[in-house]
Structure formats: C-alpha cells, structure tokens
Amino acid sequence: MHGFSYKNGSLFCEDVDLQTLADEHGTPLYVYSAGTILDHYTRLDAALNGVEHEVAYAVKANSTLSVLRLLATHGAGFDIVSGGELFRVIKAGGDPAHCTFAGVGKTRDEIVYALEMGIYSFNVESEEELRYLNKVAGDLGVIAPAAVRVNPNVDAKTHKYISTGKSENKFGVDFGAISDLYQRAADELPNIKLRGLQMHIGSQLTSIAPFIEAVEKVIPLVTELKQEHDIEFWSIGGGIGIIYQQSLESGNAEWWDNQPENERPLTVERYGKELVPRLKDLGLKILLEPGRYIVGNAGVLLTKCLYEKKGSAKTFKIVDAGMNDLIRPALYEGHHQIVPLKEPASAELIKVDVVGPICESGDFFCQDRPLPDFQPGDHIALMSAGAYGFAMASNYNSRPFPAEILVEGGTATVIRKRQTLDDLIEGEL
Ligand code: LLP
C-alpha cells in the first residue's frame, strides 16, 4: 500500500499535490510519503507478532537523515554496511546498541568506530574477518559482539546482481563450515562474543518459497549454535520484494482484493504467517533487515519532459532526470511505473522510450513502453523510487543531486536541498 493517488485529475502524495511541489522546488525531485514508510514498518512489525523480534531497517536502501529519524523515533533498529551509515544513524538519533554491521570488507577504522559506539553485533562474512575483529577488539581492550553470516546456498530467484545466498556469491560462510568456525572462535578468539547467526539470501524476492527453504535449512544449525554457544539472536535478513509493475493501482486495497490469490504479490502478512510458526519456539530473538519493503513504494522521482524527439525507429521523451539520479533501470533492468502528474484526458497510449540527458545509451527509464502522450513541459513521476534511488545517485556528468521532500499529511518538508554548482566542486583543490 502507498500514499500516491490521483485526486481531481492530479497526482497526490498523501494530501499534497505533486505538481505544486514540482513547480515550487524544480525537478528532478524525490518525494517520500512518511505515512507509507510508517505503515510498512508497523505492518511488518505486527506480522512478526508471536515471536520476539526487532526490525533493523537496512540503511543502504535510503539513508537520508529524516527518513532514518522517522524510523528511529518509531523504535526501529538499523542494519548498516559502513562507518558512514553508522554516522548517519547516530546523527539521526538512532541507537548504536540497536545496530548490526554487515558487509564483506569492513576496514579497521570502521571496526574501531563501531566498537567505540557500542553496536549490537558485527555480522561477519569470513573467518579472516572474525580473526581481524578479534585482534582489533583486543587492541582496544574490548569484547566484540559478532554473528557470522551463513550462506545457505538457496536460490532466491531474483536478478543475479542482487542474489546473495548461493555458494558462488561472495557473501557469508558456507553452511557446512559454520559449526566448526563457531567452535574455533570459542576456543581461540577471546575478544569475540558470539551473539547470533545471520543470513540474507537476496533482494526483491517476490515469492515466499526461498524464505521458507532457507529458514528450514538453517533451523537445525541455529538450534545447535544456541545449545553450544548460547547465541541469542538469528537475523533472517531482508529481501521482501515490492510491486513495481502496477504500483499506482496497488496503492488501493480494492486492487489487492481483485488479484487472484495465487498471483497476489508477497505480503508481509503472508511472510509472518509462514515464518512465525517456524521461528517462535527457537528461543531466539529474530532480527529482520528490510530495506526496499519499508521505503520502496514510499517514494517517487518527479521529472520534467524537456523534448520529444521522433527518430525513424522510435519516439524518445527526453526528461530532466537521468541514470545518475535513478540507476535501477540501467543497472538491473529495473521497472518503474511512469505516470503523468496530470491525469491524461485521453486513454490513448503511444510507445516511447523515456530517456535522460546522460551521454550513455543505458540512460533510459523505459523502452518501447506504451504511455500517455505527455509533452515537453509536462511532469511525470517515476514510481517506487524510494529504495535504492537517491541512495545510489551520483554526480556523473557533473549533475547536482536532486532535492528531497518528505510529505506528512498535508505538510511537505524539504529534507535535502538541491545541490548547487558550488556544492559540486566543494572539497576539490
Ligand atoms: N541485509 C543485507 C545483508 C543486504 O545485503 C541487503 C541488501 C538487505 C539486508 C536489504 O535488502 P532489501 O530488504 O532492501 O531487499 N540496489 C539493489 C538492491 C541491492 C540490495 C543489497 N543488499 C536494487 O536497487 O535492486
């Protein structure tokens, strides 16, 4: 569900007209619905009722301070992957004691910073890293809380760039090697406290089956680790997929009700219903690391059509946002629904490529897609851009970062100013 819908012919975010925001603040412009973010967070939290759990929002999906602050004030923990993300969480009022630190390549500086801040757990991805963590903790005279990431060798059936739970991926430690590793750590690494086990099989999973397969496969292992090493938590990772195809319609409950049961996308209610019974008697705190599910459908990227170019083979609508602002179509063939801010008068669709101004052929938001015939000067929204949108933006082609706005009911707040040309060269000598 999300907070975007047409009212009297104009696309609104909650109670704010997006056209007004585009006119006032210019484009490209990211706009987020606070109500949607909180709705998703609360629904996921509720879906896990029945088992002790904590939602640790995956900061990488959207690390803008006001988004983090919104979640922190509602009790979320955070899953971070860098010292920079930890810094942001702390600046936003998040509690390091509710942070887990993932990633295959943590540096000494990052480890020291996280130890000093007192994070909940380092989610370690190799024996080498665990030994290094033990050494750094020893140098500082502290004990490092840690969980190892198990690679359960389960196929997440998602895009290959965001599939992480197979043996050929760089992530985690082989399932069969975990027991011995925990034993060696207990015997040989005095500065490590084994606190839990972690896994994450991939992102944008749209079916429940791989989650069930991974959980069932790992239950015997986690049970053994609890007995042998008294671990207290099991993080089952993130990865809950969202709807990109029909994200506007999917905002209303009727749309959901009208989908055939077996074609309904994965919901968190289904996720909870399947997983809670399997997890509730383990005596472990279950951690979740959702990113996309919390913020994906809660954000849009607004952009203006600059030109229409009719080539011999195609019609191009050239817009003022580029792959530097939203890279998902170029990098993962990601689909983002495209809708005009003013509801089109005619139902007629024409096949177009919507492209940005960047000097690369990969700079497109859709190809050969039937869309309403919007014109230069008209604004459109790229839907479901709240996750891995701004967070993956760059200054490529020396394009300043867009501004970001957070909508709460009828109030729109600028939460990040548009970069200026001077900002672009700041720090250069
Ligand atoms: N936990 C770990 C260890 C992760 O690596 C990730 C995502 C998450 C949690 C959160 O996954 P989520 O709930 O958001 O699926 N840029 C790509 C997605 C990369 C995901 C990387 N890891 C995209 O735009 O599709």
Side-chain angles (χ1 to χ4, degrees), residues 58 60 79 162 200 203 239 289-292 328 332 388 392:
K60 63 168 81 71
D79 181 54
I162 51 177
H200 171 78
S203 195
E289 303 167 6
R292 189 187 322 261
R328 299 197 67 265
Y332 317 106
Y388 308 108
M392 295 181 79

Side-chain angles (χ1 to χ4, degrees), residues 151-160 162-169 200-214 217:
N151 185 332
N153 195 22
V154 165
D155 188 351
K157 299 195 171 58
T158 182
H159 191 280
K160 62 177 186 232
I162 51 177
S163 182
T164 53
K166 291 279 285 172
S167 304
E168 61 260 33
N169 301 126
H200 171 78
I201 55 173
S203 195
Q204 183 55 13
L205 275 68
T206 48
S207 107
I208 188 73
F211 286 117
I212 295 179
E213 190 185 339
K217 182 161 181 190

